[in-house]
């Protein structure tokens, strides 16, 4: 399974925001920290907002923050919200297959996908970007450890 760049950027955005929950994040600073274009980041932030993972505050002193504590945001839920298509093979997505109904590939691939998502479901955003993430804060230039 290959996660899209969009999902990768979404996870990075959430990590950034989790590292400094007391401060509002800005698209420009997150894009700069990860060396990602602001236009890509804008699309990612929009989708994260639609998915209820972040809340955006408009206005002069606006920005964004996590919609819930990092301890309540599951990595599997993030991937499900951001990935446009989780199917690993076309028959999983309902496409015609000449050997559909007699081939076990679909059930095996379903099992593999469930296993991957099951592992991601064991972890929260706080497991990636928790209070002990000093090196990550320094690398990104955020928080008290920067």
């Amino acid at each position: 399974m290959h996660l899209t760049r969009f999902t990768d950027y979404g996870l990075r955005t959430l990590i950034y925001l989790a590292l400094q929950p007391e401060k509002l994040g800005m698209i420009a600073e997150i894009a700069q920290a990860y060396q990602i274009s602001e236009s890509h980041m804008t699309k990612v932030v929009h989708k994260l907002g639609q998915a209820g993972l972040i809340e955006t505050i408009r206005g002069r002193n606006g920005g964004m923050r996590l919609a819930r504590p990092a301890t309540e945001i599951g990595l599997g839920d993030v991937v499900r919200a951001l990935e446009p298509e989780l199917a690993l093979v076309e028959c999983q997505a309902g496409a015609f297959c000449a050997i559909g109904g007699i081939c076990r590939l679909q059930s095996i691939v379903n099992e593999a996908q469930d296993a991957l998502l099951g592992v991601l479901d064991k972890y929260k955003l706080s497991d990636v970007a928790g209070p002990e993430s000093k090196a990550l804060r320094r690398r990104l230039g955020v928080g008290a450890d920067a």
Side-chain angles (χ1 to χ4, degrees):
M1 181 176 191
H2 177 80
L3 298 180
T4 61
R5 185 174 293 153
F6 190 86
T7 299
D8 178 25
Y9 291 174
L11 288 164
R12 291 184 201 201
T13 300
L14 295 173
I15 289 167
Y16 188 95
L17 296 173
L19 290 171
Q20 52 181 7
E22 69 291 338
K23 182 179 178 269
L24 292 177
M26 306 293 286
I27 289 173
E29 68 186 18
I30 297 170
Q32 182 178 1
Y34 290 119
Q35 299 175 7
I36 298 169
S37 82
E38 284 187 42
S39 64
H40 277 58
M41 190 56 57
T42 300
K43 293 173 190 171
V44 169
V45 165
H46 180 71
K47 181 66 175 180
L48 290 171
Q50 286 181 324
L53 294 165
I54 64 169
E55 59 181 15
T56 56
I57 294 89
R58 293 183 181 267
R60 183 175 172 203
N61 296 319
M64 71 193 101
R65 63 180 168 224
L66 297 177
R68 302 185 305 278
T71 56
E72 296 177 16
I73 298 175
L75 297 182
D77 293 333
V78 174
V79 169
R80 286 180 188 89
L82 298 181
E83 276 299 307
E85 179 62 61
L86 285 172
L88 300 176
V89 291
E90 289 184 11
C91 61
Q92 270 186 297
F96 170 77
C97 179
I99 55 175
I102 59 172
C103 173
R104 291 195 54 229
L105 179 63
Q106 184 177 358
S107 65
I108 293 168
V109 172
N110 285 341
E111 183 180 345
Q113 181 179 323
D114 290 346
L116 172 66
L117 291 170
V119 170
L120 291 173
D121 287 338
K122 292 180 185 180
Y123 296 96
K124 302 291 184 190
L125 181 58
S126 58
D127 293 320
V128 179
E132 70 287 345
S133 303
K134 290 182 170 96
L136 196 51
R137 280 187 181 82
R138 278 192 301 274
R139 175 73 55 93
L140 294 174
V142 299
D145 303 321

